[in-house]
Amino acid sequence: MTTVAAEKTGHAYVDELEEIRADYRSQFTRKTKRRTREEGAASKRRSLLGGSFNHTFAGEQYLNCPVKSVRRMQLQKLMDENGQSLWGGRVVSHPTLAQWEAKGYGLTDTEISALEKADYTPDELIHRGWRTWVCRHENFAVSIGTSYVGEGETYLRMRNHHDEVQAELDELRAQFTSWGVQNVDEATANAVEHALADEDHGLFNQNVIREHVTTPELKEEMRKAFILRLHSYMGIF
């Protein structure tokens, strides 16, 4: 009699995704050494090219979600991303944080504006088009689950290696100080905010996967989307 392996569900299925992440990390290790100011500036130029994208896919995730409790959390996440400064709040948007960080690496307001108005590279256009399509048309749990690649990694690092993350933030602050950056708080705000906000967002994404990616078909779609998102997140293509 043939024994059929039981489908992994809940935490076990998330563990399976983490095994996929670990396999990729074993082949493409995370860069942890300190960057020069020039290396940091080059990285910021790449990330700013074509303007912010996170509100596009986060908005699609919200519109695609029919479950009221999850939709409410996704709306809160949109508020975290977009900030509250437009209506008098103290929380600024993530694109503003990225601009502050770029200026810490030496980019000017003029250069940042030009980069944000420029066209995407062909590779980035394909990736962003694919992710927008997934967030708009796939099941809402797969759509939201794509964010678990980046935010989930931050969540797990903060949970399991909090002291290491804090040491990296302290080191980044010391770097900006050594370069004579006038507003170190602004220059480091992007890294600090993502370490904190992504911890909450990562757990939210994980819960959506655990509770709503439950059928064999959805699990296969989630695996495929998770792997393709890993490729872009880790700079494999």
Side-chain angles (χ1 to χ4, degrees), residues 24 59 76 92 111 185 220:
Y24 274 84
Q76 177 61 57
V92 300
E111 184 178 7
D185 288 338
E220 182 59 23

Side-chain angles (χ1 to χ4, degrees), residues 128-236:
R128 295 188 183 201
W130 165 79
R131 192 170 184 196
T132 300
W133 186 94
V134 168
C135 291
R136 181 179 299 170
H137 297 293
E138 289 286 6
N139 177 276
F140 79 94
V142 174
S143 168
I144 292 174
T146 60
S147 293
Y148 186 63
V149 171
E151 293 173 335
E153 181 158 302
T154 303
Y155 160 63
L156 292 172
R157 291 195 72 229
M158 283 294 288
R159 188 186 69 179
N160 301 325
H161 307 285
H162 183 275
D163 291 346
E164 179 182 310
V165 174
Q166 185 58 56
E168 291 173 2
L169 293 173
D170 292 342
E171 185 177 35
L172 181 64
R173 187 176 184 86
Q175 272 190 307
F176 283 125
T177 300
S178 70
W179 295 333
V181 174
Q182 291 187 347
N183 196 328
V184 175
D185 288 338
E186 287 191 355
T188 56
N190 194 35
V192 172
E193 174 62 21
H194 279 84
L196 297 175
D198 281 6
E199 185 176 8
D200 292 336
H201 295 174
L203 179 58
F204 163 64
N205 298 330
Q206 186 187 96
N207 287 338
V208 170
I209 293 171
R210 285 195 300 104
E211 296 169 11
H212 298 282
V213 179
T214 55
T215 68
E217 293 78 13
L218 284 179
K219 290 173 186 176
E220 182 59 23
E221 289 301 318
M222 187 70 255
R223 287 186 196 96
K224 291 177 181 178
F226 190 82
I227 290 170
L228 286 172
R229 177 71 186 112
L230 268 175
H231 283 197
S232 173
Y233 180 70
M234 300 177 65
I236 298 172

